[in-house]
Amino acid sequence: MIDLKEILKVRDLCKTYIVNQRQNNVLKNVNFTVYEGEMVAIMGPSGSGKSTLLYTVSGMDSVTAGEVEFMGKSIVRMNENELSELRLNEMGFIFQQMYMLKNLTVLDNIVLPAYQSGKIKETRKETMARGCMLMKNLGISEIADNDINEVSGGQLQRACICRSMINKPAVIFADEPTGALNRSSSDDVMKELVKLNKNGTSMLLVTHDVKVAVKCTRVLYIVDGNIKGEYDQEKYTDEGKLRERERALGNWLMEMGW
């Protein structure tokens, strides 16, 4: 691990909210590193700070104290414009709720971030072609011209994955990316995320689903704003070992108090 490039480095991270004049310390001195090519899951009980951690380390929420470095740059010291540019160009986002613009087709939603960014020097026609190729890779070419209310949840989530990839990000942040899907659609989405990870895209995802976490390379277990444990797995390559991996991870989660 020491020879790998650090994508995300988090040191002594704290996040505090003031609610009704009372301090709510959601994150307390969190430390971890995500390396290039890793797929890291964040797990823990409800209210443990999982989503807050994801939003804070991706610059979507402010830091109360501590340091977050993304590709060697401190996001804590960035202003809003710098953060917006970083998120647009170098980060991809997938959420449980599939936010897309209702007045655009599925394909137009996917390519919109590329038009806003300009990171990749290409014509609009080339951008559209890349969007179509991403949709083809995820098996949803047939819904390119559909409105977003004309497709299934599984199709829409795969479209969100396409959108997250359009600017070729260094890392994808995902908050319960399969939480709103049935098991079949969830398995399809995870298959695509694993494929993207194998092709070099780093990932940090929040999940409550062991079947999702078992396909990651590492699991961070958070309780009351602290990382209580860390579980390392080999990169997921062999479907035949899935049950064995599930059993081992399940045993570790029980030890953690899952």
Side-chain angles (χ1 to χ4, degrees), residues 54-154:
L54 191 78
Y55 296 151
T56 306
V57 301
S58 62
M60 293 183 70
D61 201 354
S62 61
V63 170
T64 302
E67 182 60 80
V68 179
E69 288 184 6
F70 183 82
M71 298 176 70
K73 295 179 180 178
S74 171
I75 71 168
V76 175
R77 295 176 179 82
M78 291 182 182
N79 60 39
E80 281 303 316
N81 287 338
E82 290 170 328
L83 282 170
S84 294
E85 192 172 326
L86 181 70
R87 288 193 299 263
L88 179 62
N89 294 327
E90 300 299 341
M91 300 176 179
F93 293 91
I94 308 167
F95 303 102
Q96 179 176 351
Q97 298 302 321
M98 294 158 265
Y99 300 107
M100 283 196 166
L101 296 175
K102 293 179 180 178
N103 59 326
L104 298 180
T105 65
V106 174
L107 178 58
D108 285 338
N109 266 286
I110 288 169
V111 299
L112 181 61
Y115 295 153
Q116 294 172 317
S117 167
K119 170 190 173 184
I120 301 166
K121 302 306 176 188
E122 61 187 1
T123 64
R124 286 205 163 210
K125 187 176 180 181
E126 288 169 334
T127 301
M128 291 293 277
R130 274 200 310 115
C132 288
M133 182 56 67
L134 285 169
M135 294 188 76
K136 182 181 178 183
N137 291 345
L138 271 83
I140 53 171
S141 295
E142 73 280 3
I143 65 167
D145 296 325
N146 286 43
D147 292 334
I148 64 168
N149 59 357
E150 296 175 335
V151 299
S152 70

Side-chain angles (χ1 to χ4, degrees), residues 91-234:
M91 300 176 179
F93 293 91
I94 308 167
F95 303 102
Q96 179 176 351
Q97 298 302 321
M98 294 158 265
Y99 300 107
M100 283 196 166
L101 296 175
K102 293 179 180 178
N103 59 326
L104 298 180
T105 65
V106 174
L107 178 58
D108 285 338
N109 266 286
I110 288 169
V111 299
L112 181 61
Y115 295 153
Q116 294 172 317
S117 167
K119 170 190 173 184
I120 301 166
K121 302 306 176 188
E122 61 187 1
T123 64
R124 286 205 163 210
K125 187 176 180 181
E126 288 169 334
T127 301
M128 291 293 277
R130 274 200 310 115
C132 288
M133 182 56 67
L134 285 169
M135 294 188 76
K136 182 181 178 183
N137 291 345
L138 271 83
I140 53 171
S141 295
E142 73 280 3
I143 65 167
D145 296 325
N146 286 43
D147 292 334
I148 64 168
N149 59 357
E150 296 175 335
V151 299
S152 70
Q155 288 173 321
L156 199 58
Q157 190 63 300
R158 276 178 274 181
C160 289
I161 295 172
C162 292
R163 181 180 59 186
S164 76
M165 289 299 298
I166 196 68
N167 284 335
K168 300 182 179 178
V171 63
I172 287 179
F173 294 96
D175 189 10
E176 299 283 9
T178 63
L181 305 177
N182 61 33
R183 176 50 59 194
S184 175
S185 294
S186 174
D187 289 344
D188 287 344
V189 164
M190 277 310 298
K191 203 174 289 180
E192 297 308 326
L193 291 181
V194 168
K195 197 185 298 180
L196 291 173
N197 179 245
K198 282 179 181 174
N199 289 335
T201 305
S202 305
M203 295 190 190
L204 181 65
L205 56 92
V206 165
T207 185
H208 67 277
D209 191 341
V210 176
K211 290 183 182 297
V212 170
V214 78
K215 294 176 181 175
C216 296
T217 49
R218 192 153 47 105
V219 179
L220 305 176
Y221 194 80
I222 185 170
V223 179
D224 295 331
N226 284 293
I227 293 179
K228 183 180 177 183
E230 188 173 313
Y231 182 81
D232 285 298
Q233 308 179 99
E234 291 181 2

Side-chain angles (χ1 to χ4, degrees), residues 234-247:
E234 291 181 2
K235 214 168 181 78
Y236 173 66
T237 55
D238 186 355
E239 199 169 326
K241 293 184 177 179
L242 193 56
R243 284 180 181 269
E244 183 185 325
R245 284 170 70 102
E246 264 185 55
R247 196 159 43 243

